[in-house]
Amino acid sequence: MTQPPPPPNQPPGGFPPPNQPPNQPPGGYPPPAGGFGAPTPPPPPQGQPGYGYPGGQAPQPGYGYPGQPSQQPQQPQQPYQQPVPPPYGYPNQQQPQQPYGYPTAPQQHVPAPGPGGGGRKLSAQAQIVIAAVVAVALIVGGGIWYANSGSDTSTDAKPTGGTTQAPNGGGDGGGSGGGAGNGLGGNGKEKPGEKTNARLAFRVDVPKVPDTTPVDGSWITDKTFVKTGINSVVGYDIDKGTVSWTIPLAGQVCGASRHKTEDNKVPVLFEEKKRVAPRYYQSCNQVGMLDLNTGKLLWSASVSGGGDEKARFSEVTLGAGTVAAGGTDGGAAFDAATGKVLWKPQSNDQNCYDMGYGGGAGLIAVRKCGKYGAQTVLVQNLDPKSGKPLSQFKMPQGVEYASVVSSKPLVVAANVGDAADDGSSISDFFSIDEKTGKLRTKITANADRYAAECGSTSVEECSQALVGDDRLYLPTEEHEGSTGEYGDETNEIVAFSLADGKMAPEKADAGDGYVLMPLRMDGGDLIAYKVPPHDKGGQLVSVHAGTMKSTLLLENPSDEGSRDIETSFSITGAELLYSDGRFFISGTYANKPRESGSTLDKKYLAVSFSTRG
């Protein structure tokens, strides 16, 4: 899923280099290490402790206070073992390994052997007939066939110190419904315009810098494309690309929220001074609120980190009207309207500290408590104004970090026991009832099968994982397309119920040569980017959440010059935005230009493709 760190100027994972020879894989996605149909080890022994809310089930009296001891007798603690899905195909029979992408045979009941040593055996003719039926199913099914059997999930984890929670039907009836009759999707705002063929609308050159400089942050309004620059944030006319306004800052932007208010206000982090040689670094200790409509810095603030030093931050988010910043020096929360400090997490005798926050419709804190080597990770749903926990979920043993995918409904990703060794930082997704802190279900996401990823130590840096309609949407890893030819790799987007963890029967197919990357929810539907093959332009599609069928919104030009520009970005490290017939790709780092001066080395801060005009 994630490639080893590339050389400078190449964030991890990405498009192939320009002028790539024919029949090369698109988008820099590696072929899967394994595949559907590969044998899996037996499930772990039953009876191991479940996950859940610390004993007592009540929120703590003060912010961040760890859970009270359970009133039930303590059981010996066992090491966490990742639940393993049952083998694909026939039960209790050794199956030959099939190529990735082939459907597995449906499970059938096998008579239990009698005292004499076996059940009724099938005749040779009957076995031939069954084999023929399975072969026809393979041909008719085509692509990947996903059984809605829950084989990719584990739902047997129960909250400790309480009773089993019955699955909540939620928005999708538990994920068992299918097709247009499941009542999902179709309410997205993004619709195809009069034309879907896009043109290259404008380009923004990378600013000249003496050393690698972060330029995280890009947003769009109805009039403006906004992008972080050097010691500034710049607004560009959404169609022409001309500069509309510039917000000067004391130093470089060093963190940006992915959430903004309905009236286009967004928080950022920036450094207290401009960078100068030779150190070319300043402390990231300023929090500010930008108005993207007017191009103004509304307020800025900082807090003490102990002594005479200001607290340094690495992440900032916006949740339910509160701006929350977190980092190695702790956290702080500010009123979004005024910048007034609302609260700071307080230290306690459990050595608890906030690792960071997840925003959106709610505000979630990820805390770590305990002595080094025996620490516990807590996920807390906070009252955004006071910082007090409304509920709390204790992550299982073997979790050192957790990432918030969604605050409402609450979905958290984690790498349990370092099971995901591909750099994705995801082995499992935890669907949590944010009101009670109880685990609804756990969805095991095999790193060899699914392409979502999160920052290894970041709380809100997940990509390609979307939550909507009480479902979790994930892209699969690349696999061989229907032609079997090198270069036609493809993938799908699949959906899991957040109520019971079951996989929905529908899936969105990328099509041979394309790879689907989910970008954002659009109402109940999905907006996704189709990473193109080497000889075509990329596409933006709307995926209907009910049928998982795709509708083309925009297709980039396929001429060599446009393709070179589109693929000049490391696509899994870039910021991708789509709205109303306009598609923007922007980088997250500005680098010192290479001395070669080759046109092949030409880099852009941002580019826009548009069906407008």
Side-chain angles (χ1 to χ4, degrees):
M1 287 166 42
T2 301
Q3 300 296 313
N9 203 34
Q10 294 294 326
F15 269 12
N19 301 321
Q20 179 175 307
N23 297 327
Q24 294 295 313
Y29 284 80
F36 289 101
T40 54
Q46 298 297 316
Q48 96 179 37
Y51 318 133
Y53 196 86
Q57 298 292 333
Q60 290 65 44
Y63 177 81
Y65 197 84
Q68 301 299 317
S70 172
Q71 301 302 315
Q72 298 182 1
Q74 294 185 352
Q75 299 180 357
Q77 210 166 28
Q78 299 182 23
Y80 174 84
Q81 295 181 359
Q82 181 183 3
V84 180
Y88 286 82
Y90 289 94
N92 303 321
Q93 295 188 24
Q94 184 64 37
Q95 294 292 306
Q97 186 167 347
Q98 298 176 349
Y100 189 105
Y102 272 82
T104 54
Q107 293 191 355
Q108 299 187 13
H109 174 70
V110 179
R120 182 167 60 93
K121 294 185 178 180
L122 297 175
S123 65
Q125 182 177 3
Q127 294 182 39
I128 293 174
V129 171
I130 291 176
V133 171
V134 172
V136 170
L138 292 178
I139 294 172
V140 173
I144 295 181
W145 180 83
Y146 295 94
N148 187 23
S149 62
S151 58
D152 283 352
T153 66
S154 173
T155 58
D156 58 351
K158 312 287 194 305
T160 57
T163 58
T164 302
Q165 183 180 10
N168 183 346
D172 65 350
S176 58
N182 60 16
L184 300 178
N187 59 343
K189 295 181 179 179
E190 302 289 359
K191 306 294 181 184
E194 294 181 359
K195 60 179 181 179
T196 55
N197 292 332
R199 60 181 176 83
L200 179 61
F202 64 83
R203 292 163 282 180
V204 178
D205 288 337
V206 174
K208 294 181 180 180
V209 292
D211 204 345
T212 299
T213 304
V215 285
D216 297 275
S218 60
W219 307 269
I220 44 180
T221 72
D222 57 345
K223 296 181 180 180
T224 312
F225 166 68
V226 183
K227 179 62 188 166
T228 293
I230 303 303
N231 303 316
S232 65
V233 174
V234 183
Y236 301 87
D237 181 278
I238 198 168
D239 291 314
K240 301 175 183 178
T242 54
V243 175
S244 299
W245 47 256
T246 299
I247 302 175
L249 299 172
Q252 190 60 30
V253 170
C254 45
S257 170
R258 60 178 59 190
H259 305 289
K260 60 185 179 70
T261 65
E262 291 184 2
D263 58 350
N264 296 316
K265 296 179 176 65
V266 63
V268 297
L269 302 175
F270 57 96
E271 295 171 352
E272 61 181 349
K273 299 177 182 178
K274 292 179 173 61
R275 296 184 174 195
V276 294
R279 187 164 176 257
Y280 206 66
Y281 170 81
Q282 296 290 347
S283 179
C284 183
N285 56 32
Q286 301 294 307
V287 182
M289 180 67 89
L290 310 180
D291 187 330
L292 305 183
N293 291 330
T294 63
K296 302 294 183 182
L297 174 63
L298 300 176
W299 56 261
S300 62
S302 61
V303 297
S304 173
D308 297 331
E309 297 291 327
K310 296 177 181 178
R312 295 168 296 176
F313 301 116
S314 57
E315 286 188 276
V316 65
T317 193
L318 174 68
T322 294
V323 174
T328 56
D329 291 348
F334 308 82
D335 181 81
T338 65
K340 176 185 176 182
V341 177
L342 296 177
W343 48 263
K344 291 180 63 178
Q346 302 299 314
S347 60
N348 56 33
D349 57 2
Q350 300 297 317
N351 298 317
C352 294
Y353 67 95
D354 285 13
M355 294 192 288
Y357 307 94
L363 186 62
I364 306 298
V366 177
R367 308 210 85 206
K368 185 171 282 191
C369 296
K371 297 180 179 179
Y372 182 78
Q375 292 172 306
T376 298
V377 174
L378 306 175
V379 177
Q380 296 179 330
N381 179 27
L382 303 181
D383 177 330
K385 298 304 180 183
S386 68
K388 293 182 179 179
L390 303 175
S391 68
Q392 175 173 289
F393 176 78
K394 181 179 179 181
M395 297 295 288
Q397 289 184 346
V399 172
E400 296 185 9
Y401 299 94
S403 297
V404 177
V405 180
S406 169
S407 59
K408 285 186 179 182
L410 179 53
V411 179
V412 175
N415 187 7
V416 183
D418 294 325
D421 56 2
D422 64 333
S424 68
S425 301
I426 303 172
S427 68
D428 300 271
F429 290 90
F430 296 79
S431 172
I432 303 165
D433 186 325
E434 68 269 11
K435 295 181 180 179
T436 64
K438 292 182 178 180
L439 181 70
R440 298 177 68 194
T441 191
K442 182 174 73 69
I443 300 170
T444 296
N446 188 306
D448 292 334
R449 296 183 188 177
Y450 303 107
E453 58 184 70
C454 298
S456 59
T457 60
S458 302
V459 170
E460 200 178 44
E461 194 181 332
C462 295
S463 62
Q464 302 196 63
L466 300 183
V467 171
D469 284 322
D470 211 39
R471 281 182 168 185
L472 170 68
Y473 297 94
L474 300 177
T476 68
E477 288 282 8
E478 284 187 37
H479 59 85
E480 188 178 86
S482 63
T483 67
E485 296 180 359
Y486 186 68
D488 76 341
E489 284 77 7
T490 187
N491 79 331
E492 296 76 29
I493 295 176
V494 296
F496 296 90
S497 167
L498 293 178
D500 58 21
K502 290 182 179 180
M503 181 186 286
E506 306 86 14
K507 58 180 172 53
D509 294 295
D512 290 344
Y514 290 91
V515 176
L516 274 166
M517 292 179 62
L519 301 184
R520 65 175 174 87
M521 297 301 298
D522 175 30
D525 296 327
L526 293 77
I527 301 299
Y529 175 52
K530 291 177 66 172
V531 182
H534 73 277
D535 59 346
K536 296 181 180 180
Q539 298 179 355
L540 274 296
V541 296
S542 173
V543 179
H544 189 286
T547 63
M548 297 296 279
K549 301 298 183 183
S550 298
T551 299
L552 179 64
L553 299 172
L554 175 152
E555 183 169 18
N556 286 339
S558 59
D559 63 278
E560 184 177 359
S562 297
R563 296 199 318 268
D564 288 349
I565 291 172
E566 183 177 2
T567 59
S568 66
F569 292 87
S570 175
I571 208 64
T572 55
E575 296 167 343
L576 309 177
L577 300 174
Y578 174 82
S579 178
D580 196 23
R582 304 175 182 91
F583 178 48
F584 302 90
I585 311 175
S586 55
T588 54
Y589 284 92
N591 295 315
K592 183 179 180 180
R594 298 178 182 178
E595 296 181 359
S596 66
S598 169
T599 56
L600 295 178
D601 293 334
K602 178 67 175 178
K603 301 295 180 183
Y604 296 98
L605 178 65
V607 299
S608 169
F609 295 91
S610 176
T611 63
R612 298 286 177 172

